[in-house]
Amino acid sequence: MKSGELTGDWKGWRGSALELVSGGRATVTKLDGQSWDFDDGWRMTGKGTWRHEQNILVVSVKANDVAERPRSADDPGVPLPSPNPEEFPKEYRWQFKARHGEKGRLEIYFFTGDPDTRDAYVMWQAG
């Protein structure tokens, strides 16, 4: 992946979004946590920065809103404990990798959940 390929709008699971602007500004909307943090059931919205280093996209954001992820029958994984909003993060850092998905389209992703049974949280460029 090249930095120029990363700028623009990215869409993801259940309405999550990521905007990467050249110059290093980032905005996330309803983005879930990675690894074990996904199981905590929160979704963050906020502004911050992004950088591309050694084939990893790093996005760091200060939250202006962190809300409980809605539960539904189609929500995969282990049932979530009742989250405590006081424990939601005030800022967060994601590390995305990239791959070429269907039709050679660039996708960015991070892993969620237990390391023994991880899922990829995939985002694709809008448009």
Side-chain angles (χ1 to χ4, degrees):
M1 100 180 103
K2 296 178 183 163
S3 293
E5 295 177 287
L6 298 171
T7 58
D9 294 324
W10 297 83
K11 301 294 179 194
W13 182 68
R14 297 182 72 189
S16 61
L18 172 62
E19 178 188 17
L20 302 176
V21 179
S22 61
R25 289 182 296 130
T27 302
V28 301
T29 305
K30 298 180 182 176
L31 192 56
D32 298 89
Q34 62 188 19
S35 291
W36 291 103
D37 294 335
F38 179 83
D39 295 337
D40 291 341
W42 53 260
R43 306 191 92 194
M44 182 179 285
T45 297
K47 295 185 181 288
T49 61
W50 71 276
R51 69 184 184 279
H52 176 227
E53 56 184 44
Q54 300 177 347
N55 290 325
I56 301 288
L57 165 62
V58 179
V59 177
S60 300
V61 170
K62 289 188 179 182
N64 62 358
D65 181 50
V66 182
E68 179 179 355
R69 181 171 64 237
R71 298 168 193 231
S72 70
D74 67 337
D75 205 357
V78 178
L80 300 172
S82 294
N84 179 355
E86 293 177 9
E87 295 177 7
F88 291 161
K90 305 292 186 258
E91 52 187 82
Y92 198 77
R93 185 178 72 149
W94 291 266
Q95 292 185 355
F96 290 87
K97 295 184 180 185
R99 67 182 182 201
H100 290 283
E102 292 181 25
K103 301 178 186 175
R105 191 172 169 183
L106 186 64
E107 300 173 338
I108 58 174
Y109 66 96
F110 58 83
F111 292 111
T112 63
D114 183 326
D116 292 331
T117 58
R118 287 195 165 167
D119 289 313
Y121 192 107
V122 179
M123 301 188 84
W124 55 94
Q125 285 183 312

